[in-house]
Amino acid sequence: NNNNNNNNQQRLCPSSCNNDAPMLLFSTTAKNQDEEHEEEEEEQHQQQQQRDNDTIRIRIWKALSSGEEMSLKQLGAAVGERRLSDLKDHLSHVEKQARTLKNKSQQWRERRGLDTSTSTSTNSTSTSSSSSSNR
């Protein structure tokens, strides 16, 4: 136990001090934990900003990218769109995008939560069938 405390401490002594001078001991564990916590908070903040910056159509893509079918009402709740008429308009555009997935860049697909390692026709089919059944 005493050994662990020594491992987490550093000795500070000016270069001009001799071995008889008292040394200041401080713990680096708390500092490291604070830095890690700050990094985690910053990462979470950046992820939230990305979600906030996502357009309604990107949020639709992300909601449908799992391939699970959902009703328009469920989709609206998932993407934060309460007006079903607006959601239908956006969904229509997403369906058009799905038809041309093979022409979309990898970055475009990644931003929408689509699996870029498999064939794009699989994603197109599952997205179209999910959205078509919700009409």
Side-chain angles (χ1 to χ4, degrees):
N1 195 12
N2 196 17
N3 223 5
N4 286 342
N5 288 340
N6 289 338
N7 290 339
N8 291 332
Q9 295 177 343
Q10 293 183 356
R11 297 179 183 268
L12 287 184
C13 181
S15 59
S16 62
C17 75
N18 59 34
N19 290 335
D20 296 331
M23 292 189 190
L24 175 63
L25 295 175
F26 69 97
S27 175
T28 58
T29 303
K31 182 180 177 184
N32 290 342
Q33 288 173 345
D34 285 345
E35 288 173 357
E36 288 175 11
H37 182 69
E38 287 175 9
E39 289 173 3
E40 287 175 12
E41 283 182 344
E42 178 63 25
E43 185 177 326
Q44 289 173 354
H45 178 70
Q46 288 175 349
Q47 289 173 350
Q48 181 62 43
Q49 272 188 317
Q50 179 64 41
R51 284 190 296 268
D52 292 346
N53 290 337
D54 284 348
T55 65
I56 182 71
R57 291 176 184 166
I58 290 175
R59 293 193 307 263
I60 290 171
W61 272 107
K62 287 180 177 180
L64 295 176
S65 66
S66 69
E68 292 182 34
E69 291 190 16
M70 58 179 69
S71 69
L72 274 176
K73 197 171 193 176
Q74 290 170 321
L75 180 61
V79 302
E81 179 59 71
R82 292 183 294 164
R83 295 174 301 236
L84 292 183
S85 61
D86 288 349
L87 182 61
K88 286 179 184 179
D89 290 340
H90 291 300
L91 191 56
S92 173
H93 184 82
V94 167
E95 287 177 323
K96 290 177 187 175
Q97 290 176 321
R99 290 186 204 111
T100 59
L101 267 182
K102 64 183 173 199
N103 299 331
K104 306 298 185 196
S105 70
Q106 181 174 351
Q107 181 183 10
W108 186 95
R109 284 183 252 138
E110 285 174 356
R111 183 155 184 221
R112 285 150 183 83
L114 302 175
D115 184 9
T116 58
S117 64
T118 60
S119 168
T120 56
S121 62
T122 302
N123 289 326
S124 174
T125 304
S126 65
T127 304
S128 295
S129 65
S130 294
S131 56
S132 295
S133 65
N134 291 329
R135 290 198 152 185

